[in-house]
Amino acid sequence: MKLTILTTVLALASSAVLADPVEIETARGPASVEQSPQKVAVYDIVALDTLLALGVTPAGVPEEVYLPRLAEPVAKAAKVGTLFEPDLEALSALNPDLTIVGGRSAPQFDAVSQVGPAIDMTISPDVVGDLRARLAAYGTLFNKQDAADDLTATLDDEIAAVRAEAQGRGTALIVLTNGPKISAYGRGSRFGWLHSALGIPEAYPNLTPETHGDAISFEFIAEADPDWLFVIDRGAAIGAGGVSARETLDNPLVAETKAAQNGHIVYLDAGSVYIAGGGYTALMTTLEQMRAALDG
């Protein structure tokens, strides 16, 4: 009798640990995942940024998370490879309940799926829409719906505030520098949400929505003559050093633009836009910087 009771108790305890599956939206469509996974490995900086904002600390992360503010919270997490090359042996030793890939690590989905359940949470060029969707999915997955709703409400308020500041403030050109090279991004591109979500008109509306942007020259910037120039320094984002964005854009043609003449060249926090773009805290950082610039 005692053995039977003990067996029953252990069975109930075991079943209590196993959560019911929930269906969430991912970059590859709806996925059924066990709710409240206790041990999560994350290979996507965007996902990591949003999870930390929700109060979820992963058990496994890449060797390099790039943004200093992300490094401290995951200092004790197991290192399970890089964004581009997961260490499957380390991942297997961690034995995660769930692995999350996205963006740069999305091509490794099949590889990490060999170890255990995995989801792809890549952010598309619809950055703001996808962030809202990811907050809802993570809220359901980790049973943090109230926290996700609060973050979404704060996000929406900040977007509305920036849109209000941007009204009637003129056109903008988004450029990324990579050492001495310059590329521009418009609507539909990875940084195009600065136009579409914030209602800021494009100084040059015919840019193609390419992943790496349209290669441009100083003459192009001068001809577009934007009221605002929003700048992303790739070298600074990845810690590459070399020629900075400020040095690259220190050019007589750029200096003659309305943006330069009015002090409207805004150097965005590169890591937040280029590395963690679409993560909650990263996006809020960019929005706050945009609002401060437009209000200045």
Side-chain angles (χ1 to χ4, degrees):
M1 177 65 72
K2 289 182 179 180
L3 181 59
T4 302
I5 294 174
L6 178 60
T7 302
T8 302
V9 170
L10 289 174
L12 289 172
S14 177
S15 63
V17 173
L18 298 175
D20 292 330
V22 292
E23 186 173 281
I24 62 170
E25 193 63 37
T26 76
R28 301 183 182 224
S32 182
V33 187
E34 284 193 3
Q35 192 176 39
S36 302
Q38 297 301 301
K39 204 186 310 183
V40 180
V42 178
Y43 284 97
D44 179 32
I45 306 303
V46 176
L48 175 62
D49 188 54
T50 300
L51 290 174
L52 290 174
L54 275 171
V56 177
T57 303
V61 295
E63 294 165 7
E64 175 63 70
V65 298
Y66 295 97
L67 278 66
R69 64 175 173 78
L70 299 180
E72 185 177 351
V74 297
K76 296 182 179 179
K79 302 303 184 286
V80 288
T82 70
L83 296 178
F84 302 99
E85 189 173 348
D87 183 337
L88 297 182
E89 186 175 341
L91 184 64
S92 181
L94 179 65
N95 191 27
D97 302 313
L98 179 68
T99 298
I100 300 175
V101 299
R104 296 167 178 86
S105 63
Q108 303 301 324
F109 178 82
D110 290 340
V112 300
S113 294
Q114 298 174 28
V115 177
I119 54 175
D120 180 354
M121 300 303 265
T122 296
I123 296 286
S124 76
D126 180 17
V127 172
V128 175
D130 276 7
L131 174 54
R132 292 192 183 104
R134 299 296 176 263
L135 283 168
Y138 293 140
T140 298
L141 177 60
F142 294 99
N143 199 23
K144 289 181 174 287
Q145 291 93 335
D146 289 345
D149 289 345
D150 288 344
L151 292 181
T152 301
T154 301
L155 170 68
D156 290 344
D157 287 346
E158 189 65 23
I159 288 173
V162 178
R163 285 185 68 93
E165 291 289 351
Q167 294 301 306
R169 300 303 305 278
T171 64
L173 183 67
I174 304 165
V175 299
L176 178 142
T177 66
N178 185 14
K181 300 177 182 178
I182 316 170
S183 52
Y185 294 78
R187 287 177 182 268
S189 72
R190 61 192 296 192
F191 309 126
W193 68 271
L194 294 168
H195 291 299
S196 57
L198 304 180
I200 303 175
E202 295 172 276
Y204 186 85
N206 296 316
L207 293 168
T208 56
E210 299 291 337
T211 300
H212 300 293
D214 284 323
I216 61 169
S217 63
F218 297 124
E219 287 79 9
F220 177 91
I221 296 176
E223 290 175 10
D225 195 18
D227 294 290
W228 295 85
L229 194 60
F230 295 118
V231 183
I232 304 156
D233 187 336
R234 180 182 180 276
I238 64 174
V243 180
S244 72
R246 291 179 186 275
E247 293 172 305
T248 296
L249 296 176
D250 183 12
N251 175 277
L253 290 171
V254 176
E256 290 300 317
T257 63
K258 292 193 291 288
Q261 293 289 311
N262 293 309
H264 290 169
I265 298 181
V266 182
Y267 293 88
L268 298 173
D269 182 80
S272 292
V273 182
Y274 185 79
I275 299 293
Y280 179 80
T281 302
L283 199 69
M284 289 296 292
T285 297
T286 303
L287 288 171
E288 289 163 7
Q289 190 176 1
M290 293 279 292
R291 181 151 65 110
L294 291 165
D295 188 41

